[in-house]
DNA sequence: ATTAAAATTGAATAATATTCAACTATTTAT
DNA sequence: ATAAATAGTTGAATATTATTCAATTTTAAT
């Protein structure tokens, strides 16, 4: 057994997929070449960032999902972007936004379980010197990434 | 001009993409047939829900992104799932979770601009009889759907 | 109306996924 | 421990599908 699954999953999270032109052509009843032309234009414009897979995260051992609201400390408050880019590199982070309201950042985190979540927060508070965090844990995901579950 | 773009974008939001087996094979240096076998198994297990595109949402006129925390009223409080499934059908809703904490739902909404957002909230409060909502607007998206922007 | 640029399309080709059958490794039952 | 059954890997052949290309049509600008 080569244990290829985790490597495939890793690649699929961000990309390594491609449009199904023939299927789209059939669906909207237009020639495949027209679809192809339009898609390539969207790609060149930068409107399409990536083609990727959406998972049933429970089944790939990332069943615990938490939204984390973050208060930064002074040293990052005026320039949240560089810290965000670093946090974004973490493969457990699905999304990160700089936001309005009482908290500066909103992070969507996917972990195996609550223990892994707890370890992540401890590590992140220390590394990024967050002054406060609020966690909102998902009890049930009804839709993610525009895909109904 | 056939205005094919919006139809393609609609299809891509939820699917109509497929794995690039040859590219994965090259990347992880395993035979394409092995990759194929493993992917098909993941699909059969239901671990993979869909293959889809990720957009630069500003470029497809969905540049306004808001996280909405919702308090339900009594009639839905004990059974939030059915109302969630209905909200999930809305193509502007990227994600919806039933959550812990002071608010029962967390909705991630993508609209063209703040006006469309405001219309959506008015409509939703009325239709679903939300007792209260809190909006957290994204000022800058650094990562979405596991894709760095 | 004339020109230039952008978009559409069918036919030909290139690239890729998929099937199949043989083989290997792993697990289960006796 | 051994046999049998199941699950996983793989190369070669085939079937699909994306891509290229050149011709045509549509749209936009002057």
């Amino acid at each position: 057994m080569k244990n290829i699954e985790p490597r495939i999953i890793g690649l699929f999270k961000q990309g390594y997929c491609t449009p199904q032109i023939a299927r789209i052509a059939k669906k909207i009843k237009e020639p495949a070449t027209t679809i192809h032309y339009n898609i390539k234009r969207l790609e060149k414009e930068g409107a399409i960032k990536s083609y990727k897979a959406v998972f049933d995260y429970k089944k790939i051992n990332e069943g615990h999902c938490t939204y984390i609201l973050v208060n930064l400390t002074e040293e990052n408050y005026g320039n949240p972007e560089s810290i965000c880019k670093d946090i974004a590199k973490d493969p457990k982070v699905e999304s990160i936004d700089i936001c309005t309201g009482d908290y500066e950042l909103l992070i969507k985190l996917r972990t195996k379980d609550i223990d892994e979540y707890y370890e992540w927060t401890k590590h992140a508070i220390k590394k990024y010197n967050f002054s406060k965090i609020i966690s909102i844990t998902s009890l049930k995901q009804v839709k993610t990434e525009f895909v109904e579950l």
Side-chain angles (χ1 to χ4, degrees), chain A:
Chain A
M1 232 254 278
K2 289 196 157 189
N3 210 28
I4 278 167
E5 270 191 28
R7 284 186 282 168
I8 292 174
I9 290 169
L11 295 176
F12 273 166
K13 277 225 194 112
Q14 295 140 107
Y16 285 88
C17 297
T18 192
Q20 281 186 301
I21 293 174
R23 196 150 79 93
I24 295 169
K26 205 170 283 174
K27 176 78 175 179
I28 71 177
K29 285 165 190 148
E30 298 289 350
T33 39
T34 306
I35 310 295
H36 182 266
Y37 174 84
N38 276 272
I39 290 173
K40 290 302 152 194
R41 194 186 40 206
L42 284 167
E43 289 175 6
K44 264 168 208 149
E45 283 168 358
I48 294 170
K49 297 297 290 180
S50 181
Y51 303 102
K52 58 154 287 176
V54 176
F55 296 96
D56 184 333
Y57 292 94
K58 278 185 203 164
K59 294 195 177 157
I60 60 164
N61 259 294
E62 300 185 25
H64 192 85
C65 178
T66 312
Y67 293 88
I68 304 173
L69 292 158
V70 176
N71 275 137
L72 298 171
T73 34
E74 283 172 53
E75 75 247 44
N76 297 305
Y77 187 81
N79 175 30
E81 291 189 39
S82 66
I83 202 176
C84 276
K85 271 176 195 147
D86 196 52
I87 296 166
K89 282 180 198 143
D90 191 319
K92 292 184 173 62
V93 171
E94 177 177 324
S95 70
I96 177 164
D97 293 80
I98 300 165
C99 289
T100 63
D102 292 339
Y103 299 89
E104 290 81 45
L105 308 184
L106 176 43
I107 299 168
K108 184 173 182 180
L109 185 74
R110 290 196 182 270
T111 54
K112 179 178 157 50
D113 53 32
I114 202 167
D115 298 324
E116 199 176 84
Y117 153 76
Y118 178 53
E119 292 305 316
W120 193 91
T121 57
K122 277 198 299 184
H123 167 263
I125 290 168
K126 196 173 178 182
K127 180 169 182 189
Y128 301 113
N129 196 26
F130 297 153
S131 73
K132 189 186 172 189
I133 70 167
I134 295 271
S135 292
I136 300 169
T137 298
S138 175
L139 296 168
K140 183 165 179 78
Q141 313 222 124
V142 180
K143 191 181 192 182
T144 342
E145 297 161 79
F146 291 105
V147 177
E148 293 175 54
L149 302 173

